[in-house]
Amino acid sequence: MVSYPYFPGCALSTKAKALDICAREAMKSLGYDLKEIDDWTCCGAVFPLAEDEHIRLVSPARTIFKASKISDKLVTLCSACFNVLRRSQKVLKENLEKRQRVQNYMEEEAVENYPENLRVIHLIEILKDEIGFENLTQKIKKSLKGLKIAPFYDCLTFRPPKEMEFEDPENPRIYSNFVTALGGEAIDFSYRSECCGAHISVSNPEVSLECSMRILDSARRVGAEALLTSCPLCHYNLDARQKEMVEKRIDFKPMPVFYLTQLLGIALELPENLLGFEKNYVSPLPLLKERGLL
Amino acid sequence: MKIVLNREKLNSFYVQTIKDISLQKIMSCYQCGKCTAGCPVADFMDVVPNEMMRLVMLGEIEKLLSSKAIWLCTSCFQCGTRCPKGIEVHRVFEALRSIALREGKNYTDIEKLSEDVLDEIPQQGIIAGFRKFESLE
Ligand code: SF4
Ligand code: SF4
Ligand code: SF4
Ligand code: SF4
């Protein structure tokens, strides 16, 4: 069993539990122990874009220090945590002046050398680079054959590309390859990397509703039966808010939105109570039962 | 729209602050409009991203600080990813928001948020949304 420090983040510990539980269980059955780091705090949720906001880097820096005591990798899953931690590590690694300022705000950690070698990774990178999608196909117990899944490439995992150094956001393939590895049919659609409206659901919910509706419409037009995401906020906008879409437009047909770990869990035949479907607003159960996947 | 150009405006404290906290070369924007073309919320903005860049160049900062557009921006980083001149337009938006917030001009009114939204939306959304609110006390 390989063991990595794991940062679940606030959303995955509460409102997006489904994403977290299947992640731990599925990875366990693939030989990876995700060890939650002790006493973690919120990563800050937003990477500070203003050059003079140093204090917001303190929380990610603490997490990076903690993880570095256990391993040279830190595993994340929430798109926002991944974005904040990966970009923070890049800036703290490369910008010595900034690093010093941030360390000045810190206590016991500050005396130590900065853990430059720590890499913040997304769980999908373990599947792709360590296990390998081809091997994953060998390891799954049930193929998602015939399931037409449209992978949604959220903003925060892929952009800004120079800071995230993840995959080309203009032509991302990683989730399509993941779906294919599980035996499903990956559907590309034109709005696959458009923002769902993100946090403006707090201040301008009608605008983010439009953004999210465009994404779902675009996926449906090319034959998708369900969407895939790894971001709890996208999941809220694209799944929970379908309640309002149905009220707004009589021709709107609901579509289930899976977390990436839920699909992995189905393919690995995790028990249904670990898949967290009760947290999906649009239940995927009818679709899965129809295909004999549950 | 009538715009009067003068040196004070072009080198104002606001313009300097935007340059300092965004670190972007505002003057290199050649108005191709690619940032706006990719912006998911441009349809809803009163000042679209390339217009915003132009107004910063011309020193018309007050117009931007009172716009709705700076608050509609979701920080999706699409504009900055696509700009052929390598300008991180999203950082210019953030600089404008930061100036407004540091002057105490809040956008999010916490008291008006519904319980339903707060119950359901993940924390990252609430925190990001609340960054449009600066308590000065
Ligand atoms: S980004 Fe979110 S889920 Fe991640 S730690 Fe921060 S608030 Fe929490
Ligand atoms: S689509 Fe929206 S919620 Fe999802 S990562 Fe982008 S900004 Fe976040
Ligand atoms: S994409 Fe860049 S160069 Fe083009 S208008 Fe926008 S900021 Fe200016
Ligand atoms: S970061 Fe803001 S301005 Fe830029 S494309 Fe996204 S929403 Fe539009």
Side-chain angles (χ1 to χ4, degrees), chain A residues 195, chain B residues 35 38-42 45 49 72-80 89-90 93 97:
Chain A
C195 177
Chain B
C35 47
C39 175
V41 290
M45 285 175 161
L72 277 180
C73 164
T74 67
S75 295
C76 72
F77 316 122
Q78 186 74 280
C79 46
V89 186
H90 50 267
F93 267 95
R97 281 192 293 270

Short mmCIF file of all heavy atoms in Angstrom, two decimals, chain A residues 195, chain B residues 35 38-42 45 49 72-80 89-90 93 97, ligand 4:
data_model
loop_
_atom_site.label_atom_id
_atom_site.label_comp_id
_atom_site.label_asym_id
_atom_site.label_seq_id
_atom_site.Cartn_x
_atom_site.Cartn_y
_atom_site.Cartn_z
N CYS A 195 -16.68 28.39 -17.84
CA CYS A 195 -16.97 28.48 -16.40
C CYS A 195 -18.48 28.34 -16.14
O CYS A 195 -19.31 28.82 -16.89
CB CYS A 195 -16.46 29.81 -15.87
SG CYS A 195 -16.83 30.06 -14.15
N CYS B 35 -10.13 38.59 -25.13
CA CYS B 35 -10.52 38.39 -23.72
C CYS B 35 -12.04 38.39 -23.59
O CYS B 35 -12.63 37.55 -22.93
CB CYS B 35 -9.89 39.45 -22.82
SG CYS B 35 -10.04 41.13 -23.44
N GLY B 38 -13.93 35.30 -25.03
CA GLY B 38 -13.92 34.07 -24.24
C GLY B 38 -14.57 34.20 -22.88
O GLY B 38 -14.75 33.22 -22.18
N CYS B 39 -14.93 35.42 -22.50
CA CYS B 39 -15.45 35.64 -21.14
C CYS B 39 -16.86 35.07 -20.99
O CYS B 39 -17.76 35.43 -21.75
CB CYS B 39 -15.44 37.13 -20.82
SG CYS B 39 -16.19 37.51 -19.23
N PRO B 40 -17.08 34.19 -20.03
CA PRO B 40 -18.39 33.54 -19.91
C PRO B 40 -19.51 34.48 -19.46
O PRO B 40 -20.67 34.17 -19.65
CB PRO B 40 -18.15 32.47 -18.84
CG PRO B 40 -17.01 32.97 -18.03
CD PRO B 40 -16.14 33.72 -18.99
N VAL B 41 -19.14 35.61 -18.87
CA VAL B 41 -20.19 36.51 -18.37
C VAL B 41 -20.21 37.86 -19.10
O VAL B 41 -20.90 38.78 -18.66
CB VAL B 41 -20.09 36.71 -16.84
CG1 VAL B 41 -20.48 35.45 -16.10
CG2 VAL B 41 -18.70 37.13 -16.41
N ALA B 42 -19.48 37.94 -20.23
CA ALA B 42 -19.44 39.21 -20.97
C ALA B 42 -20.84 39.70 -21.34
O ALA B 42 -21.12 40.91 -21.30
CB ALA B 42 -18.57 39.07 -22.22
N MET B 45 -22.20 41.89 -18.67
CA MET B 45 -21.39 42.99 -18.14
C MET B 45 -21.76 44.34 -18.74
O MET B 45 -22.11 44.41 -19.93
CB MET B 45 -19.90 42.71 -18.43
CG MET B 45 -19.29 41.64 -17.54
SD MET B 45 -17.60 41.30 -18.07
CE MET B 45 -16.94 40.49 -16.61
N PRO B 49 -14.48 42.99 -20.87
CA PRO B 49 -13.06 43.02 -20.52
C PRO B 49 -12.16 43.90 -21.41
O PRO B 49 -11.32 44.64 -20.89
CB PRO B 49 -12.66 41.54 -20.62
CG PRO B 49 -13.91 40.82 -20.22
CD PRO B 49 -15.03 41.62 -20.81
N LEU B 72 -19.06 40.95 -11.52
CA LEU B 72 -19.60 39.78 -12.22
C LEU B 72 -18.50 38.81 -12.62
O LEU B 72 -18.76 37.62 -12.84
CB LEU B 72 -20.34 40.22 -13.49
CG LEU B 72 -21.77 40.68 -13.30
CD1 LEU B 72 -22.36 41.09 -14.64
CD2 LEU B 72 -22.62 39.59 -12.68
N CYS B 73 -17.30 39.30 -12.75
CA CYS B 73 -16.16 38.46 -13.14
C CYS B 73 -16.05 37.29 -12.16
O CYS B 73 -16.04 37.48 -10.95
CB CYS B 73 -14.89 39.30 -13.14
SG CYS B 73 -13.38 38.32 -13.15
N THR B 74 -15.97 36.07 -12.70
CA THR B 74 -15.93 34.89 -11.84
C THR B 74 -14.50 34.44 -11.52
O THR B 74 -14.31 33.43 -10.87
CB THR B 74 -16.64 33.69 -12.51
OG1 THR B 74 -15.86 33.31 -13.65
CG2 THR B 74 -18.04 34.02 -12.95
N SER B 75 -13.51 35.15 -12.06
CA SER B 75 -12.11 34.72 -11.94
C SER B 75 -11.92 33.32 -12.51
O SER B 75 -11.38 32.44 -11.86
CB SER B 75 -11.62 34.75 -10.49
OG SER B 75 -11.61 36.07 -10.01
N CYS B 76 -12.36 33.16 -13.75
CA CYS B 76 -12.21 31.85 -14.40
C CYS B 76 -10.89 31.78 -15.17
O CYS B 76 -10.53 30.72 -15.69
CB CYS B 76 -13.38 31.58 -15.34
SG CYS B 76 -13.34 32.58 -16.83
N PHE B 77 -10.20 32.90 -15.29
CA PHE B 77 -8.87 33.00 -15.93
C PHE B 77 -8.87 32.72 -17.43
O PHE B 77 -7.82 32.46 -18.02
CB PHE B 77 -7.84 32.08 -15.24
CG PHE B 77 -7.91 32.11 -13.74
CD1 PHE B 77 -8.15 30.96 -13.01
CD2 PHE B 77 -7.75 33.30 -13.07
CE1 PHE B 77 -8.22 31.00 -11.62
CE2 PHE B 77 -7.82 33.35 -11.68
CZ PHE B 77 -8.07 32.19 -10.96
N GLN B 78 -10.04 32.75 -18.04
CA GLN B 78 -10.11 32.51 -19.48
C GLN B 78 -9.46 33.68 -20.25
O GLN B 78 -8.69 33.46 -21.18
CB GLN B 78 -11.59 32.37 -19.89
CG GLN B 78 -11.84 31.98 -21.31
CD GLN B 78 -11.54 30.52 -21.57
OE1 GLN B 78 -10.38 30.12 -21.74
NE2 GLN B 78 -12.56 29.70 -21.57
N CYS B 79 -9.77 34.91 -19.85
CA CYS B 79 -9.25 36.09 -20.55
C CYS B 79 -7.72 36.08 -20.57
O CYS B 79 -7.10 36.24 -21.62
CB CYS B 79 -9.76 37.37 -19.88
SG CYS B 79 -9.63 37.34 -18.07
N GLY B 80 -7.14 35.84 -19.41
CA GLY B 80 -5.68 35.86 -19.31
C GLY B 80 -5.04 34.69 -20.04
O GLY B 80 -3.93 34.78 -20.56
N VAL B 89 -5.54 39.51 -17.77
CA VAL B 89 -6.65 40.45 -17.62
C VAL B 89 -7.36 40.24 -16.28
O VAL B 89 -7.79 41.18 -15.62
CB VAL B 89 -7.65 40.30 -18.80
CG1 VAL B 89 -8.72 41.36 -18.76
CG2 VAL B 89 -6.90 40.34 -20.13
N HIS B 90 -7.45 38.97 -15.85
CA HIS B 90 -8.13 38.68 -14.59
C HIS B 90 -7.46 39.39 -13.42
O HIS B 90 -8.11 39.71 -12.44
CB HIS B 90 -8.21 37.18 -14.34
CG HIS B 90 -6.91 36.45 -14.50
ND1 HIS B 90 -6.52 35.87 -15.68
CD2 HIS B 90 -5.90 36.23 -13.63
CE1 HIS B 90 -5.33 35.31 -15.53
NE2 HIS B 90 -4.93 35.52 -14.29
N PHE B 93 -8.80 42.95 -13.33
CA PHE B 93 -10.12 42.94 -12.68
C PHE B 93 -9.97 42.87 -11.16
O PHE B 93 -10.64 43.57 -10.42
CB PHE B 93 -10.95 41.75 -13.17
CG PHE B 93 -11.85 42.08 -14.32
CD1 PHE B 93 -11.44 41.84 -15.63
CD2 PHE B 93 -13.10 42.64 -14.12
CE1 PHE B 93 -12.26 42.15 -16.69
CE2 PHE B 93 -13.93 42.95 -15.18
CZ PHE B 93 -13.51 42.70 -16.48
N ARG B 97 -11.25 45.45 -8.19
CA ARG B 97 -12.06 45.03 -7.03
C ARG B 97 -11.35 45.36 -5.73
O ARG B 97 -11.96 45.84 -4.78
CB ARG B 97 -12.30 43.51 -7.08
CG ARG B 97 -13.38 43.07 -8.03
CD ARG B 97 -13.74 41.61 -7.79
NE ARG B 97 -12.65 40.69 -8.14
CZ ARG B 97 -12.47 40.14 -9.34
NH1 ARG B 97 -13.32 40.39 -10.30
NH2 ARG B 97 -11.46 39.32 -9.56
S1 SF4 C 4 -11.67 36.00 -15.37
FE1 SF4 C 4 -13.40 37.36 -15.30
S2 SF4 C 4 -13.14 38.75 -17.00
FE2 SF4 C 4 -11.78 37.05 -17.33
S3 SF4 C 4 -12.92 35.70 -18.67
FE3 SF4 C 4 -13.28 35.04 -16.58
S4 SF4 C 4 -15.12 36.09 -15.92
FE4 SF4 C 4 -14.37 37.10 -17.75
#
